[in-house]
Structure formats: C-alpha cells, structure tokens
Amino acid sequence: MNKRWIVGITGASGSVYGVKLVRALLEKEFEVHLVITDAGWRVLHDELGWSSSKRKEELAERFTNGNERLIYHPIQDIGASIASGSFRTEGMVVAPCSMGTLSGIAHGASGNLLERAADVMLKENRRLLLVPRETPLSVIHLENMLRLAQLGVKLIPAMPAFYQQPASLEELTDFMVGRVLDSMNIEHDLYRRWGEP
C-alpha cells in the first residue's frame, strides 16, 4: 500500500489540528496531498496568522523546507490526481471539518476538490476520517454525521480529553491529532495513553 494520505483543511475553527497532522505525517515520511478550502485559508489567517494571498509560499515556509512529499492542490483543481479513483492512497482525513463540508460529503455534492476527493474515498471503499468542529450541533448536523457513519466514515469530533492533565493548548492539540493518528493506524507518541506511566 502507498504511504500516501490526503489531508483536507476547512473553515471550521481548529485549523491547528490539520497543520499538526500534516507535520506528523511528513515526519513519518508519508506523502501528503493537501487541499484547503477558501474558508480554511481564512481561518488559518485568523487563528495562526498565515497569509492567504501567498499560499504556496506559506506552505513552503511552514511545512516543506525543500521536502517534496507535500503536494498542494488548489481547491478548484478538479483535474488534480486526488479527484480520481485510479490514484491510490491509504485514505483521507479532513481536520477540521466544517458542517458545510460535512454536508457536502454526506450528500455527494463534489462541489470542490476536497468534496470530490472525499467522494472518491467513499466510492473506492477507502478510509475517510472527519474531525468535525462545531457546537452546538443541530439535528441536520447529527443526521449528516449519522449518514456518514453508516457509510463507514470514521468521525472523530474535536473533543480533547483532560485525563492527561494538559498544561498547554499544544498538549490538547497533540491529544486530538494523536487520536486521529490512532484511527489511521499510525504509531506516535503525541500523548500519554490511559494506564501508561
């Protein structure tokens, strides 16, 4: 199987989850195909101070440092490799996942490259993991999540735990990204597991 994952970042709050996940995958020498919605770029700017006008330069500075294992796909590039089922990947993670994107995936809208790539995961029976981030949740949100869960999508809501007594926001982020990596069957040491010293 290819050491290749697709990561999507949307306009939900919590863009740090997607950023931390991409870094963790690159450190583990995975090839990462990254797609970010326009709203995702806005949240990266608002929460992390990223420039949304110089996207490729920003990604090069934040992730790659000459590393060619990160491949960025613009959101409207429907001809990108990840839009085709013949392009082999281990799966896709959307972190964070907005309710708008979750709805688009649940209903097969394929309105942009991120939704199309997720649709490919569903039709090819590949792993699709979503990290929804919204509160409170409406009945529509819950129905869409139930629909996706029934299709085999793994839902990992951005609900960090406190039993490890986190001392910083980074430790809370590490816990959530660690739980995502657990669901991807990727070894890590981002947080202390329950019952471990």
Side-chain angles (χ1 to χ4, degrees):
M1 183 58 86
N2 298 308
K3 285 191 70 172
R4 178 188 288 157
W5 279 89
I6 301 167
V7 175
I9 298 176
T10 73
S13 183
S15 56
V16 67
Y17 295 131
V19 170
K20 183 81 175 188
L21 177 62
V22 170
R23 287 186 177 139
L25 291 171
L26 291 173
E27 287 172 10
K28 297 283 186 181
E29 299 189 352
F30 283 88
E31 181 178 292
V32 178
H33 288 259
L34 178 64
V35 58
I36 304 172
T37 65
D38 289 334
W41 278 106
R42 170 63 189 266
V43 174
L44 283 163
H45 174 267
D46 291 347
E47 293 183 348
L48 302 178
W50 289 29
S51 170
S52 59
S53 61
K54 297 180 179 177
R55 296 178 179 188
K56 287 189 177 182
E57 295 89 342
E58 193 71 57
L59 293 172
E61 179 184 333
R62 305 288 180 165
F63 291 124
T64 61
N65 294 326
N67 184 337
E68 295 182 0
R69 284 182 283 110
L70 179 71
I71 297 93
Y72 171 66
H73 301 281
I75 190 67
Q76 296 303 334
D77 184 8
I78 60 166
S81 57
I82 62 174
S84 173
S86 66
F87 185 74
R88 299 297 303 274
T89 67
E90 293 194 36
M92 178 176 182
V93 180
V94 183
C97 185
S98 68
M99 290 300 115
T101 296
L102 191 143
S103 175
I105 295 169
H107 296 278
S110 292
N112 57 44
L113 179 59
L114 192 154
E115 290 178 8
R116 170 59 186 167
D119 194 49
V120 167
M121 296 302 106
L122 292 171
K123 78 182 186 73
E124 299 291 335
N125 291 317
R126 296 185 190 145
R127 288 185 282 179
L128 177 58
L129 298 84
L130 306 181
V131 181
R133 219 304 307 159
E134 183 63 89
T135 193
L137 296 168
S138 74
V139 172
I140 293 171
H141 300 153
L142 294 168
E143 286 176 346
N144 285 336
M145 284 191 260
L146 176 61
R147 180 185 186 113
L148 288 168
Q150 290 170 334
L151 293 171
V153 174
K154 184 85 165 193
L155 296 165
I156 309 166
M159 297 177 179
F162 292 86
Y163 61 78
Q164 76 278 25
Q165 298 178 342
S168 67
L169 288 175
E170 184 175 4
E171 288 184 10
L172 288 172
T173 301
D174 286 351
F175 176 84
M176 278 309 310
V177 173
R179 295 298 289 146
V180 172
L181 290 168
D182 287 346
S183 292
M184 298 164 77
N185 296 317
I186 296 173
E187 291 294 323
H188 67 87
D189 58 0
L190 287 178
Y191 68 91
R192 180 176 57 83
R193 298 177 185 282
W194 182 251
E196 291 184 355

